[in-house]
Amino acid sequence: MMKNIKQVGNMGEASQEQYVAIGIGPEKYAIRIHDIEEIIRMQDITKIPNVQAHIKGVINLRGRIIPIVSLRHRFGLNEEEYSKDTRIVVVKYKDEMIGIVVDNVSQVTTFSDIQPPPETFGDVKGSFFSGIGHVDEELVSILNLDKVLQQ
């Protein structure tokens, strides 16, 4: 379990922003390390009635109530059983902590190149990304948390 992930972000090159690579199914995405408070193992989620479908419920994290969002549901994918690799990425969003359920967390990375996302994604989900990062031979979509988490 990675606690106080900000310490990890202070190692490495100051000139390149660091990201945490996450996975949803076979796809890789990235979240700016600056936006992440911590990464925790999956916990029991208390369901809340009358909320949007992508909000799974809430957890109690050391006395703080944290709403939990399903990234799978937000992206229009089928929910799957949680595995031993499933994690909750707790991010800071508008002075609030929000947990995002992801299938896995793989590494801290920097990108050799970041391009703007294509304008022709064809639907609103294209706005979920702030850019496409290039690392090794892989392209990774960088999440725009403002768009992913807005109600």
Side-chain angles (χ1 to χ4, degrees):
M1 187 161 82
M2 298 167 66
K3 280 198 174 182
N4 200 358
I5 198 157
K6 289 181 183 173
Q7 288 179 349
V8 175
N10 292 333
M11 300 183 305
E13 299 177 25
S15 63
Q16 280 196 310
E17 191 161 22
Q18 291 187 311
Y19 296 83
V20 172
I22 60 171
I24 300 291
E27 300 300 319
K28 270 194 171 173
Y29 302 97
I31 300 173
R32 285 182 342 151
I33 205 166
H34 176 76
D35 295 329
I36 297 175
E37 198 60 31
E38 65 182 296
I39 299 169
I40 59 175
R41 293 188 188 281
M42 197 61 205
Q43 301 184 13
D44 287 335
I45 298 172
T46 303
K47 303 237 181 280
I48 303 289
N50 301 321
V51 294
Q52 292 98 336
H54 66 277
I55 299 175
K56 303 295 287 176
V58 295
I59 63 169
N60 182 338
L61 183 64
R62 294 183 300 281
R64 272 188 104 160
I65 301 302
I66 310 277
I68 303 298
V69 172
S70 167
L71 206 52
R72 278 185 164 278
H73 192 280
R74 200 72 174 119
F75 288 172
L77 302 171
N78 291 329
E79 294 289 337
E80 289 192 1
E81 289 292 318
Y82 300 136
S83 74
K84 64 178 179 54
D85 294 326
T86 304
R87 295 291 183 267
I88 297 174
V89 179
V90 180
V91 299
K92 251 193 246 176
Y93 174 69
K94 294 186 177 179
D95 297 326
E96 184 178 1
M97 300 299 185
I98 296 180
I100 301 171
V101 177
V102 299
D103 291 350
N104 62 68
V105 174
S106 57
Q107 65 190 31
V108 174
T109 189
T110 55
F111 295 111
S112 55
D113 184 36
I114 297 177
Q115 298 290 319
E119 291 180 25
T120 56
F121 263 118
D123 62 9
V124 79
K125 292 186 180 38
S127 68
F128 285 167
F129 308 108
S130 61
I132 307 294
H134 188 263
V135 61
D136 299 326
E137 295 300 313
E138 214 170 16
L139 295 178
V140 178
S141 299
I142 300 170
L143 294 182
N144 178 342
L145 291 181
D146 284 340
K147 300 292 185 188
V148 170
L149 297 177
Q150 77 184 10
Q151 302 304 324

